[in-house]
Amino acid sequence: MNLNIKEDEALDLGFANPEIKGTPTLFVGKIILGQEELEKLESKIPRELYLFAAVVKTGEVHFKFGELKRLELILVEKNLETGESIQYHLTQHNSIMYKNVSDHTDNYECVDMLKKKDILYLHRAPKWKASEASIPKYKEKLFYFSTQFYIPENKTNKTHLGWDETLYVFLYATETDQLLVEIFIQDTSGQTAEDHYKLEEMMAAYDACYNNPDKVHQLLKKGDKYFHDYVLEHKRTSRNTLESLLTFAKTKKMETEVSKRLALMNR
């Protein structure tokens, strides 16, 4: 079985977790790039991505803190047409992003310098502290946000990794269909693991029932401000949903944003 960040889940990936400098990794998550994702990325190769993480020794010793360690990542990219796999070692090498050192993508954009409509994503917009977030760029073009993985506090992560951080995965397909992967990590200790999982479940539920008024009404009633933000920015959110959202808005700012959207629809 594969050791993973959610210790209550037993996993069998069909292959062993890779190691980083002799240190076993934890499985973080899997990403499937199907037809919808490929069209957005302008890629032709269906892929599966497997992300692993480990805290490894740097080889340096601090006079006060002793032997230094740092988080490093492994990404396994599987070509679904040929069955071949490629493994990438992602580190913070003179960059805030975790990336393959051979990828020449040193540029990034601070999110608070962008408009919401400029942020590209495959399915859902990221849920993060926007004022402290960044998005990688390739030849002045922004990467697509793919997904995010929250590392919860549990015995396994306390022993091997760390906790209360979220990994934001960004993808870009080059002209030669090479897949570039970069990861931004943010401290998200302000929310509990239950909060994160509940939000993920509610977003998935909304994706599945956005055209069912009764179910949407119940979700909006239960949802917090993060879920309401997600619904507001969702490309399939209807007028009826916005009117319900206005009823359950948690803040004046949300009320104002929803009212603006409704006003635009009336034009």
Side-chain angles (χ1 to χ4, degrees), residues 20-21 23-24 54-59 68-72 89:
I20 302 177
K21 301 173 185 175
T23 301
V55 172
V56 301
K57 298 176 182 178
T58 66
L68 299 181
K69 298 180 180 180
R70 68 182 179 190
L71 177 70
E72 297 187 5
H89 184 190

Side-chain angles (χ1 to χ4, degrees), residues 75-86:
L75 183 94
V76 176
E77 175 190 332
K78 182 179 180 181
N79 185 317
L80 296 181
E81 291 181 340
T82 65
E84 297 177 344
S85 294
I86 306 173

Side-chain angles (χ1 to χ4, degrees), residues 47-241:
R47 302 169 167 101
E48 285 181 351
L49 309 178
Y50 301 84
L51 183 62
F52 301 86
V55 172
V56 301
K57 298 176 182 178
T58 66
E60 300 175 274
V61 178
H62 190 276
F63 76 96
K64 184 176 181 180
F65 302 110
E67 195 169 37
L68 299 181
K69 298 180 180 180
R70 68 182 179 190
L71 177 70
E72 297 187 5
L73 307 170
I74 290 288
L75 183 94
V76 176
E77 175 190 332
K78 182 179 180 181
N79 185 317
L80 296 181
E81 291 181 340
T82 65
E84 297 177 344
S85 294
I86 306 173
Q87 184 170 298
Y88 302 102
H89 184 190
L90 309 180
T91 62
Q92 280 184 309
H93 184 74
N94 297 325
S95 173
I96 63 172
M97 299 291 169
Y98 284 79
K99 50 179 280 189
N100 186 353
V101 69
S102 64
D103 293 341
H104 302 292
T105 55
D106 293 331
N107 293 330
Y108 59 88
E109 194 75 55
C110 295
V111 172
D112 57 5
M113 300 297 290
L114 297 168
K115 296 179 180 178
K116 283 187 177 181
K117 66 180 181 64
D118 295 329
I119 299 175
L120 306 174
Y121 51 89
L122 298 183
H123 291 289
R124 306 169 183 162
K127 296 302 171 188
W128 53 13
K129 301 171 188 174
S131 61
E132 302 172 10
S134 297
I135 298 175
K137 297 167 66 177
Y138 176 73
K139 294 185 177 180
E140 299 307 312
K141 293 183 179 179
L142 292 174
F143 276 53
Y144 274 86
F145 170 70
S146 172
T147 191
Q148 61 193 70
F149 297 110
Y150 172 66
I151 303 178
E153 180 180 356
N154 58 42
K155 184 178 179 180
T156 298
N157 293 335
K158 281 186 172 182
T159 302
H160 299 283
L161 199 59
W163 63 94
D164 280 345
E165 290 186 319
T166 299
L167 283 63
Y168 299 89
V169 183
F170 293 90
L171 306 176
Y172 188 96
T174 68
E175 302 87 346
T176 59
D177 218 348
Q178 175 192 358
L179 188 67
L180 303 178
V181 182
E182 296 198 15
I183 294 175
F184 177 75
I185 297 181
Q186 194 172 75
D187 178 2
T188 48
S189 55
Q191 284 184 291
T192 66
E194 289 76 15
D195 291 334
H196 283 275
Y197 297 141
K198 180 181 177 182
L199 178 59
E200 290 175 4
E201 289 173 358
M202 293 189 73
M203 290 191 298
Y206 183 74
D207 289 345
C209 72
Y210 62 86
N211 58 354
N212 185 317
D214 292 335
K215 290 184 178 180
V216 168
H217 183 87
Q218 291 302 315
L219 286 171
L220 291 173
K221 186 176 181 179
K222 295 178 182 177
D224 60 11
K225 65 177 183 178
Y226 298 102
F227 176 67
H228 289 174
D229 283 340
Y230 176 69
V231 172
L232 179 65
E233 300 300 330
H234 199 284
K235 62 183 179 181
R236 297 188 185 277
T237 291
S238 66
R239 169 189 289 278
N240 288 339
T241 297

